[in-house]
Every structure is written in structure tokens, then in C-alpha cells.
Amino acid sequence: MKIVLITSAIKEELIGLESIDKKKFRSFRFYLNPLGIGKINAVMNLYKIYYKKFYKKKLEIIFLGSCGSYKKISDLFIYSNLFVNYDYASLLKKAKPLESISSLIKTNIGDFLSNFLSYNTFLPKAIVNTTDSITLTSLSEDYFYKLNPDLEKLNLPVVENLELYSIAKFCLIHEIPFTALLSITNRVGKNGSKEWEKNYQTLSIQLTNLLKNYLSLF
């Protein structure tokens, strides 16, 4: 039996999926667990959950959440298995990022999410930048390209989220497939928090509905 752990920062981002918790769909059994806001809370709670419930089991982790876009993106949702960890000071070259805790990492996409993405082919891919705080200044993606030229070669949009780099790093070390599904709730900038607060609940429900609709085919 393959286990799919669906995580989020807050429980509100899992609304509508309660009925699948601990339920089996074909060869997958699903579990839901929010991990907390920010990369420290997220990875510490994931550590506890993993070693308490899922250690040495065949596991795939999916994160459902929200993000802000650094440039205008017409899509409402993205997926990612590409993660960086650059704070505002690093992007403005007022601080030096350390490669071992900042540079691009790529996680494997698990069987369930691969099948889901094959069905939902409209979902675009993005690079997720994790920060310790919410950026309230508009930034172009050129800042990322100057800091890490390899990102420009990928030709993908960059979005901001508070949790994902630490989760991805944990999954990479433990060889756990990991993918993020995110709603784009706001543009990064001075109004980002207000836009997030206005949009995240509606978009969270739409995002969980994508999963529910796919599972209804099982």
C-alpha cells in the first residue's frame, strides 16, 4: 500500500478533503496533516509525524498551499518540485546566501501526483522561493537570475511561499517523493498580505476540489 500524506501550512488549506483522511483509493491510502506556518514549524512537525507514523513506509508527500507571484501570472494554480531559499537581503545583494541552504533543489514527483498532473495538464510549473518573512516590496525575477543564472535557463515563473524549501530538503534527504500544489493568491509587494487574506480561502477550496474531482474517478 502506498501512502500519500497531504500537508499544508494551516488546516483551512485542506478544507473539503476531510472525507479522504485515512481512506484508501485504489493502491493509495491518504492522510491529512497541516504542518504550521513557516519553514521551521513545517519541517519540525513533519519530522515528528514522519518518525511517529510513516518511517520506512512507502510514502509520497504533497503540499497544498498558497503563494505570491513575483510577476503577473494569469494562472490561478501551479505545481512545483523545484525550490530555492533566497531572502530579500540576498536578492538585493545585501547579504550572502550559502549554497548548501539556498540553492536550487529538485524533488521527485510521486506516482499519485504524476497521474494527477497527467490528468490536469493545464497546471503550469513554477520555481518556489521560500522566505522567512512576507516580502512587501515588488521584485522582478531578474533578481533571482542575477543571483543564480541557472534559474533563468529553466524559463519558469518564480513564486514565494514560507514553508516549502525545508520540506523539500527533508524529503530529498529521506528519498521521499514531494510535490507542491499552490494557488496564486497575490502579487508579491506592499498589498500582498491583503490580497492573500482576500483570496486564499476561495482558492484553497478550488484547489482541493481539483484533487476531489480527480479522486472521484477512482
Side-chain angles (χ1 to χ4, degrees):
M1 176 68 61
K2 298 176 183 177
I3 294 172
V4 178
L5 174 61
I6 301 179
T7 62
S8 64
I10 55 178
K11 64 181 181 180
E12 288 81 2
E13 290 169 322
L14 299 177
I15 286 176
L17 294 178
E18 296 86 354
S19 62
I20 74 168
D21 191 27
K22 300 179 179 65
K23 296 295 193 306
K24 178 184 175 184
F25 293 81
R26 292 185 183 171
S27 60
F28 302 99
R29 187 176 296 277
F30 292 82
Y31 291 83
L32 305 181
N33 212 120
L35 298 176
I37 296 172
K39 58 189 173 189
I40 294 176
N41 286 327
V43 76
M44 291 302 294
N45 286 320
L46 178 57
Y47 179 92
K48 289 189 291 185
I49 294 164
Y50 175 69
Y51 282 103
K52 184 177 181 180
K53 295 182 179 180
F54 304 119
Y55 181 57
K56 291 187 177 181
K57 294 183 179 178
K58 193 163 186 179
L59 179 65
E60 172 181 348
I61 299 178
I62 298 167
F63 184 94
L64 299 185
S66 59
C67 64
S69 61
Y70 291 101
K71 70 175 183 181
K72 186 175 182 180
I73 300 175
S74 58
D75 299 285
L76 291 177
F77 309 104
I78 59 95
Y79 79 94
S80 186
N81 67 329
L82 299 169
F83 309 94
V84 292
N85 185 47
Y86 296 124
D87 59 27
Y88 180 68
S90 295
L91 292 168
L92 269 61
K93 295 193 174 181
K94 295 183 180 296
K96 180 181 178 180
L98 301 177
E99 185 174 351
S100 62
I101 57 173
S102 297
S103 62
L104 180 70
I105 58 176
K106 180 180 180 179
T107 56
N108 292 323
I109 298 176
D111 292 340
F112 175 77
L113 224 287
S114 292
N115 294 335
F116 171 84
L117 293 172
S118 294
Y119 181 75
N120 292 281
T121 55
F122 65 91
L123 285 171
K125 190 173 186 177
I127 302 163
V128 180
N129 180 45
T130 298
T131 54
D132 287 318
S133 55
I134 299 167
T135 303
L136 297 178
T137 303
S138 298
L139 292 170
S140 75
E141 294 180 347
D142 289 340
Y143 285 94
F144 291 91
Y145 302 153
K146 291 175 183 177
L147 197 60
N148 187 342
D150 290 338
L151 299 183
E152 187 171 14
K153 297 173 186 176
L154 293 170
N155 194 30
L156 295 170
V158 185
V159 298
E160 180 173 294
N161 172 275
L162 296 176
E163 291 81 32
L164 289 172
Y165 194 83
S166 62
I167 301 173
K169 193 85 169 182
F170 180 93
C171 290
L172 197 66
I173 291 168
H174 291 82
E175 299 181 339
I176 301 168
F178 173 66
T179 316
L181 294 175
L182 303 175
S183 58
I184 302 174
T185 54
N186 59 278
R187 285 285 300 277
V188 172
K190 64 179 181 179
N191 296 318
S193 291
K194 292 179 181 179
E195 291 173 6
W196 176 86
E197 190 171 359
K198 177 183 177 182
N199 297 323
Y200 87 93
Q201 289 179 316
T202 299
L203 290 177
S204 290
I205 291 170
Q206 291 180 32
L207 184 57
T208 57
N209 280 341
L210 288 179
L211 272 176
K212 285 169 62 179
N213 291 340
Y214 177 67
L215 286 171
S216 70
L217 303 174
F218 280 44

